[in-house]
Amino acid sequence: MERLTIPARDGWQAKAEAVGFGFHEMYGEPYWLDDVYYRFTMEEIEEGIEAPTQALHEMCRDLAAEVVESEALMTRLAIPVDQFDTVRASFRAGEASLYGRFDLAYDGRGPAKLLEYNADTPTGVFEAAYFQYDWLIDQVGLGRLPEGADQFNLIQESLISAFAAHPADRIFHFAAITASDEDRGTAAYLMDCAVQAGHRTALIDMGSIGVDEAGRFVDPMERVIDRCFKLYPWEDMMREPYARHLPTSGTQWVEPPWKAILSNKGILPLLWERHPGHPNLLPAFFADDPRAETVTSSVRKPFHSREGENVAILENGRTAEETEGDYGEGPTVVQAFTPLFEAAGQFAVLGTWVVGDLACGLGIREDRSRITCNLSRFVPHAIVD
């Protein structure tokens, strides 16, 4: 694994904007880096990244199956009591997961370590699935990468297959916070994948969803929402006023309600309890577990933190680095600290994608901080042996 520089493509910004990637720059800061890439060998990808991702996915599926049958574990994960049946029913019915992203620490020498699982509302999928592949093709065409250069990237094909598994017999709604360029762009990309799978689609804002007299969710045109991809977290959906309609509305949600288990950082101590010493896991404990105090260097994370908010790195019991945010009030976990790959003053986190049940791709974010946040940059990768 190496971090290398490469000339940026002429006009890549216009190319990005032409395909809806207007958020290649956010809040005046670059989000996409075209002149840097991470180089891997095929062995690093297959054995160091892909295989551990598949193993972690299978461990998470087993954990979800256990949690849905345990009110004590669902309580431990702070799932609202009145939504236990919603979560349980969706898992027992076999409602399919669309996608998820594991965040891993990996340096090409030791085993990849799970930092967290973004199992419900992962973003970065357009950049990973489409734009970094476009970058690879261009750089090979320009002769800056060898003809045989490859990428761990079957994300788009896998997404289209996953959408094709749903019958194209009704409108497939896509709901997101449309005022957000990133969320709207992510939903639009996934909607395009669904169209390629044969679906009729409609993009709506989460705030525009209503409820009809029969208790069914409806879009702004009063059409019943039978099936809906939502880029909106389950922990919020389950606590908002319309949550009382979730068990009976009849809407099939993508991601399904049982993903509320796996998007919760409380799975980190549960996985460690069930697989102590696993090479791809780090010791982790609920913050109220006395064993959490025995971890010398650790990272404290709220159950539902996103984009690195309210995360703290503690060294010898003292806070060495921390972020602010909106997640500071809820329960937390403590995970043993592990160093990230560092080069040129940048710390890299690997995001490995699972679509359906298949590990199928990689995206990389880097930051000058050891905590990856909303504005951390996306850097493409290439496999060059």
Side-chain angles (χ1 to χ4, degrees), residues 4 80 96 107 115 118 129 132 135 158 191 203 206 222-223 243 249 264 268 275 283 295 317 322 325 328 352 359 365:
L4 301 170
D107 62 5
L115 302 175
N118 300 279
Q132 74 164 344
W135 171 91
S158 302
M191 195 161 64
L203 177 64
M206 280 299 298
E222 299 295 329
R223 297 176 297 192
S249 69
N264 187 316
L268 297 172
H275 308 279
V295 184
E322 63 181 331
T352 54
R365 303 275 302 279

Side-chain angles (χ1 to χ4, degrees), residues 316-377:
N316 298 314
R318 308 182 73 170
T319 301
E321 197 170 343
E322 63 181 331
T323 56
E324 298 180 344
D326 298 327
Y327 301 93
E329 301 300 321
T332 58
V333 300
V334 173
Q335 184 184 48
F337 174 81
T338 190
L340 303 177
F341 179 87
E342 181 184 3
Q346 304 291 327
F347 298 95
V349 169
L350 278 63
T352 54
W353 290 91
V354 173
V355 176
D357 289 314
L358 178 69
C360 62
L362 170 66
I364 299 173
R365 303 275 302 279
E366 66 174 27
D367 204 296
R368 297 182 187 88
S369 164
R370 292 178 292 176
I371 301 174
T372 304
C373 298
N374 188 38
L375 295 180
S376 301
R377 274 78 58 193

Side-chain angles (χ1 to χ4, degrees), residues 1-3 40-41 43-44 47-49 105-113 279-280 339-343 350:
M1 179 180 180
E2 295 179 279
R3 184 185 191 273
F40 297 89
T41 65
E43 182 180 0
E44 288 173 329
E47 298 181 16
I49 298 170
Y106 178 73
D107 62 5
R109 295 185 291 273
K113 300 288 187 182
N280 301 121
L340 303 177
F341 179 87
E342 181 184 3
L350 278 63

Side-chain angles (χ1 to χ4, degrees), residues 77 103 115-118 235 260-271 284-286 300-309 311 327 331-335:
L77 294 180
D103 283 353
L115 302 175
E116 61 186 60
Y117 188 17
N118 300 279
E235 64 268 18
I261 295 170
L262 298 185
S263 63
N264 187 316
K265 292 176 184 60
I267 67 168
L268 297 172
L270 296 182
L271 287 170
F285 306 97
F286 291 101
R300 185 179 297 271
K301 305 175 180 180
F303 277 14
H304 299 125
S305 172
R306 282 175 163 74
E307 302 289 3
E309 292 191 13
V311 171
Y327 301 93
T332 58
V333 300
V334 173
Q335 184 184 48

Side-chain angles (χ1 to χ4, degrees), residues 36-345:
V36 180
Y37 73 104
Y38 283 87
R39 170 176 167 166
F40 297 89
T41 65
M42 186 61 78
E43 182 180 0
E44 288 173 329
I45 291 292
E46 290 182 344
E47 298 181 16
I49 298 170
E50 183 178 5
T53 299
Q54 194 66 47
L56 289 167
H57 172 70
E58 288 161 11
M59 285 192 283
C60 286
R61 287 284 309 202
D62 290 345
L63 179 63
E66 179 185 348
V67 172
V68 297
E69 301 302 332
S70 167
E71 293 194 356
L73 288 175
M74 284 206 274
T75 301
R76 190 61 160 139
L77 294 180
I79 293 171
V81 173
D82 57 359
Q83 298 297 335
F84 282 5
D85 286 343
T86 308
V87 173
R88 188 180 292 127
S90 74
F91 190 85
R92 289 176 176 170
E95 291 185 356
S97 163
L98 177 65
Y99 71 155
R101 192 194 73 229
F102 288 100
D103 283 353
L104 306 176
Y106 178 73
D107 62 5
R109 295 185 291 273
K113 300 288 187 182
L114 173 63
L115 302 175
E116 61 186 60
Y117 188 17
N118 300 279
D120 184 20
T121 59
T123 54
V125 67
F126 170 80
E127 304 90 287
Y130 182 86
F131 205 64
Q132 74 164 344
Y133 184 71
D134 186 75
W135 171 91
L136 177 75
I137 296 302
D138 283 350
Q139 296 290 20
V140 170
L142 290 165
R144 297 169 183 163
L145 290 174
E147 285 290 335
D150 202 350
Q151 208 169 66
F152 179 28
N153 193 353
L154 295 170
I155 306 170
Q156 181 158 306
E157 302 93 307
S158 302
L159 285 168
I160 293 169
S161 294
F163 279 119
H166 295 279
D169 56 353
R170 61 200 69 190
I171 296 174
F172 206 136
H173 283 84
F174 285 72
I177 304 298
T178 55
S180 163
D181 289 345
E182 183 180 16
D183 286 12
R184 187 178 63 253
T186 299
Y189 169 68
L190 293 170
M191 195 161 64
D192 183 67
C193 291
V195 168
Q196 293 186 59
H199 290 283
R200 291 179 297 135
T201 61
L203 177 64
I204 57 174
D205 187 84
M206 280 299 298
S208 72
I209 295 176
V211 179
D212 69 9
E213 292 181 352
R216 298 172 302 184
F217 292 115
V218 293
D219 70 10
M221 298 176 68
E222 299 295 329
R223 297 176 297 192
V224 173
I225 300 174
D226 293 313
R227 183 176 294 126
C228 185
F229 167 87
K230 50 88 194 163
L231 193 61
Y232 195 77
W234 269 115
E235 64 268 18
D236 290 344
M237 287 180 66
M238 289 179 172
R239 289 172 171 80
E240 293 175 349
Y242 61 70
R244 61 191 176 90
H245 299 288
L246 288 170
T248 56
S249 69
T251 300
Q252 180 188 359
W253 297 100
V254 179
E255 297 294 321
W258 63 265
K259 292 300 284 295
I261 295 170
L262 298 185
S263 63
N264 187 316
K265 292 176 184 60
I267 67 168
L268 297 172
L270 296 182
L271 287 170
W272 184 250
E273 281 180 3
R274 283 148 187 78
H275 308 279
H278 192 285
N280 301 121
L281 296 176
L282 292 163
F285 306 97
F286 291 101
D288 58 5
D289 185 329
R291 291 174 294 178
E293 300 297 329
T294 67
V295 184
T296 305
S297 295
S298 63
V299 182
R300 185 179 297 271
K301 305 175 180 180
F303 277 14
H304 299 125
S305 172
R306 282 175 163 74
E307 302 289 3
E309 292 191 13
N310 300 105
V311 171
I313 297 176
L314 294 91
E315 296 174 345
N316 298 314
R318 308 182 73 170
T319 301
E321 197 170 343
E322 63 181 331
T323 56
E324 298 180 344
D326 298 327
Y327 301 93
E329 301 300 321
T332 58
V333 300
V334 173
Q335 184 184 48
F337 174 81
T338 190
L340 303 177
F341 179 87
E342 181 184 3

